[in-house]
Amino acid sequence: MVVRERFEQELKEVQAQFVEIATSSINALKLAFQALIEQDLEKSLRILEDDLVINRLEEAINDHVILLIAKQQPVATDLRRLMVLVKAASDMERVGDYAVNIAKETIRIGKEPLVFSTTNLQTMCNKTVEMLESVIKAFTEEDTVHAKEIAELDDYIDDLYGATITLLLRAGAENPAHISQITHLTFVCRYLERSADHATNIAEHLFYLVKGKHYELNN
C-alpha cells in the first residue's frame, strides 16, 4: 500500500473512532437524564463506570493522531483535519463528563420525590441531544450549512436555561426545605446548557476545517 493510501486508511480509522466517542457520549447523556427522571440510582452508577470507556476512546484518538503525524508527516490540510478531530473528540468527552455529573446529581437527590417540574429540563435535554446528533452528522459529511443552523439553536437553549434557572431560584425561595434538591437540579440545568455549547464548538471546528479560518457561530 502506497503512503497516501495508508494515510487515508488510518484517517478513516480516526474518523470512525470519533463517531464512536460521539455516539457513546450522546447515549450517556440521554441515559443520565432518563435515570434522573426515573430516579434510577443503579443506572446512574453504570454511567459513572462507563465513563472510563469514553475517556479511553479520547486517549486512543489522541494517540492515533500523534502516531499519524509522526509517521506520515501530513501536509497542512491533512494536519488541520487531524487536529480538528482531536478537538471535536475532546468536546464529546466533555459531554460524557456532563452525563457523569448529571448522574452524580441524581445519586445525591436519591429517592426523594422531585419537587420541581422537569418539563423544561426534558425539553433542554431533547434539544441538546438533537443538536449533538445533528452536528455529528454535519461534521462527518462536512456540511457547513447544516452546522451553522445547528449552532443557531444554541440561542434557544440559552434562553430556556435562563428561564429555568429563574424558576428554580424562585422555587428554592418558596420551598426552603427542598433547597438541596433544587440546587442539584440547577446543576443539571447547567450541565445540559454546557453540553449544547459543545455542539456549537464542533460546528465551529467544522468551519475551520472547511474554510481554513476560525468563525464564532454563536456570540
Side-chain angles (χ1 to χ4, degrees), residues 11-12 94 120 178 182 212 216:
L11 180 59
K12 287 179 181 177
R94 288 298 296 143
N120 279 11
H178 299 297
I182 289 169
E216 289 189 10

Side-chain angles (χ1 to χ4, degrees), residues 3-146:
V3 173
R4 185 65 201 179
E5 288 177 349
R6 179 60 186 165
F7 175 81
E8 293 287 352
Q9 178 60 40
E10 292 208 45
L11 180 59
K12 287 179 181 177
E13 291 172 8
V14 177
Q15 290 169 331
Q17 287 175 310
F18 170 69
V19 171
E20 186 178 358
I21 192 174
T23 302
S24 296
S25 295
I26 293 169
N27 286 342
L29 188 66
K30 291 192 286 188
L31 195 63
F33 193 80
Q34 182 184 357
L36 170 69
I37 298 302
E38 297 172 355
Q39 296 187 268
D40 188 331
L41 306 187
E42 290 298 321
K43 190 176 291 182
S44 295
L45 287 170
R46 285 203 304 275
I47 291 164
L48 270 60
E49 294 168 2
D50 291 346
D51 189 53
L52 288 173
V53 175
I54 293 173
N55 292 341
R56 286 172 185 153
L57 277 169
E58 188 197 13
E59 291 170 4
I61 290 170
N62 291 343
D63 291 344
H64 203 158
V65 167
I66 289 168
L67 280 173
L68 260 177
I69 293 171
K71 290 190 303 181
Q72 304 288 356
Q73 296 181 332
V75 297
T77 304
D78 292 330
L79 185 59
R80 187 165 73 229
R81 187 177 300 277
L82 290 171
M83 297 316 298
V84 161
L85 280 165
V86 167
K87 288 182 178 180
S90 176
D91 279 299
M92 290 312 307
E93 190 275 335
R94 288 298 296 143
V95 171
D97 287 344
Y98 290 129
V100 166
N101 290 345
I102 291 171
K104 287 179 178 178
E105 299 303 336
T106 298
I107 292 167
R108 289 169 184 139
I109 291 170
K111 294 294 187 178
E112 176 190 350
L114 297 179
V115 298
F116 183 83
S117 171
T118 58
T119 301
N120 279 11
L121 293 172
Q122 182 73 68
T123 302
M124 283 184 71
C125 183
N126 291 346
K127 188 59 68 174
T128 296
V129 167
E130 178 188 331
M131 285 178 67
L132 287 164
E133 290 178 338
S134 296
V135 83
I136 298 310
K137 185 173 186 293
F139 187 87
T140 55
E141 296 175 356
E142 297 188 13
D143 185 346
T144 54
V145 174
H146 192 199

